[in-house]
Amino acid sequence: EKSNMLMIGPTGSGKTYLVKTLARLLDVPLAIADATSLTEAGYIGDDIESVVSKLLAAADNDVEKAEHGIIFIDEIDKIAKKKNTNQRDVSGEAVQQGMLKLLEGSEVEVPVGANSKNAMVPVNTRNILFICGGAFPDLENIIKERLNKQASIGFYADLKDKYDNDPHILEKVTVDDIKSFGMIPEFIGRLPIIFTLDGLSEDMLVKILMEPKNAILKQYQKLLALDEVKLEFDEGALHAIAAKAMEKKTGARALRAILEEYMLDI
């Protein structure tokens, strides 16, 4: 049987990119859906079933093929329970509850094709692998709070700021932390594998600049080559760019922002 996954990692650490690459290598139909637009049935927005219809479209409306696909639900942290409970929570807890049967495996009636007037076909989600990803901002603070419960006074005491600069703090995540974040226990229970992606280090960012086949430096070199200009970056410049990107704390996306700024005049 399948094991659904929950992927936690800071913004710009390559969650979506990882899944796209995975599906390309495995050659199975993949649907990337966004949890942000999902609402409870009957409200404006996408119903929960729309996730499965995306997969069916990706499999060219072949039900058999779609039933062995991968669905990646991005921004899953955006459907956490809202803190103020005086209004109806249409896109929060209700969506999590609606997804419970979907994740575990049920027959879902899905329209074939784009509009809802078409024929409905039943799709069984029992063998569809669900990967949920999200940045879970402030989850680190919840983890720190739990780890700091032991903080006390004395010779062997843990210090309050012991975990403040720990880059691997997310690895210490437990189901309780995610529950405190606002995900309901039944939902987490259906995602047995929880794994975290680290934020990128400076060396990784330098690699990202140079190594991929569509690396951003190569794009600029190509652009300037059209005007017969040869563009070169020396090692120090790359590390300086990476160091600046680290300060922005938006992961690999910061690299493009910084390069755009400097290359614009050139």
Side-chain angles (χ1 to χ4, degrees), residues 60-104:
D60 302 322
N61 296 331
D62 177 350
V63 176
E64 190 84 346
K65 202 168 151 195
E67 285 180 348
H68 295 91
I70 299 177
I71 292 181
F72 176 56
I73 305 177
D74 207 0
E75 309 291 353
I76 198 77
D77 49 324
K78 308 297 183 280
I79 57 168
K81 278 194 279 208
K82 299 276 184 291
K83 293 284 182 281
N84 55 343
T85 47
N86 49 8
Q87 64 225 60
R88 195 172 285 165
D89 194 0
V90 177
S91 62
E93 191 182 352
V95 177
Q96 292 183 48
Q97 290 166 359
M99 284 172 71
L100 295 180
K101 288 264 29 100
L102 198 69
L103 292 171
E104 196 169 338

Side-chain angles (χ1 to χ4, degrees), residues 1-51:
E1 295 206 346
K2 61 168 182 181
S3 303
N4 295 327
M5 305 180 209
L6 176 62
M7 172 160 51
I8 300 173
T11 173
S13 58
K15 295 185 291 291
T16 314
Y17 198 73
L18 188 68
V19 178
K20 277 183 179 158
T21 313
L22 178 73
R24 201 176 67 228
L25 295 175
L26 289 178
D27 194 30
V28 292
L30 163 81
I32 295 185
D34 214 27
T36 339
S37 59
L38 297 178
T39 54
E40 215 180 325
Y43 287 89
I44 297 179
D46 290 342
D47 282 358
I48 289 136
E49 282 75 41
S50 71
V51 181

Side-chain angles (χ1 to χ4, degrees), residues 81-142:
K81 278 194 279 208
K82 299 276 184 291
K83 293 284 182 281
N84 55 343
T85 47
N86 49 8
Q87 64 225 60
R88 195 172 285 165
D89 194 0
V90 177
S91 62
E93 191 182 352
V95 177
Q96 292 183 48
Q97 290 166 359
M99 284 172 71
L100 295 180
K101 288 264 29 100
L102 198 69
L103 292 171
E104 196 169 338
S106 62
E107 292 267 322
V108 185
E109 294 276 325
V110 180
V112 182
N115 54 359
S116 49
K117 295 199 174 56
N118 294 6
M120 306 282 272
V121 291
V123 177
N124 194 343
T125 64
R126 205 182 63 228
N127 293 321
I128 297 177
L129 177 68
F130 285 90
I131 305 177
C132 299
F136 288 88
D138 293 342
L139 185 63
E140 287 136 340
N141 297 338
I142 295 173

Side-chain angles (χ1 to χ4, degrees), residues 144-258:
K144 270 181 214 160
E145 226 163 83
R146 175 175 57 83
L147 293 173
N148 279 333
K149 285 257 166 66
Q150 297 98 348
S152 57
I153 299 173
F155 287 116
Y156 298 109
D158 273 351
L159 296 175
K160 267 267 189 278
D161 56 0
K162 178 178 173 188
Y163 300 103
D164 274 6
N165 296 321
D166 184 356
H168 304 302
I169 184 92
L170 272 180
E171 287 172 17
K172 301 185 170 69
V173 71
T174 62
V175 171
D176 288 337
D177 298 328
I178 300 174
K179 209 186 306 179
S180 317
F181 186 86
M183 309 309 264
I184 57 177
E186 307 93 301
F187 184 79
I188 312 166
R190 285 175 175 70
L191 301 167
I193 300 177
I194 296 176
F195 64 101
T196 57
L197 298 181
D198 280 342
L200 302 172
S201 68
E202 194 175 309
D203 295 340
M204 287 182 200
L205 289 174
V206 173
K207 275 187 175 168
I208 291 172
L209 280 172
M210 298 160 52
E211 289 179 13
K213 64 169 182 276
N214 58 344
I216 188 162
L217 295 188
K218 294 179 188 165
Q219 293 181 30
Y220 277 116
Q221 283 166 342
K222 183 97 176 153
L223 275 174
L224 290 181
L226 298 175
D227 293 326
E228 295 176 6
V229 176
K230 189 165 178 236
L231 174 66
E232 283 179 0
F233 288 86
D234 55 25
E235 191 72 15
L238 296 179
H239 279 281
I241 293 170
K244 258 188 127 59
M246 289 291 288
E247 286 166 24
K248 287 201 168 183
K249 288 194 166 67
T250 53
R253 293 193 184 98
L255 293 170
R256 181 178 287 276
I258 288 163

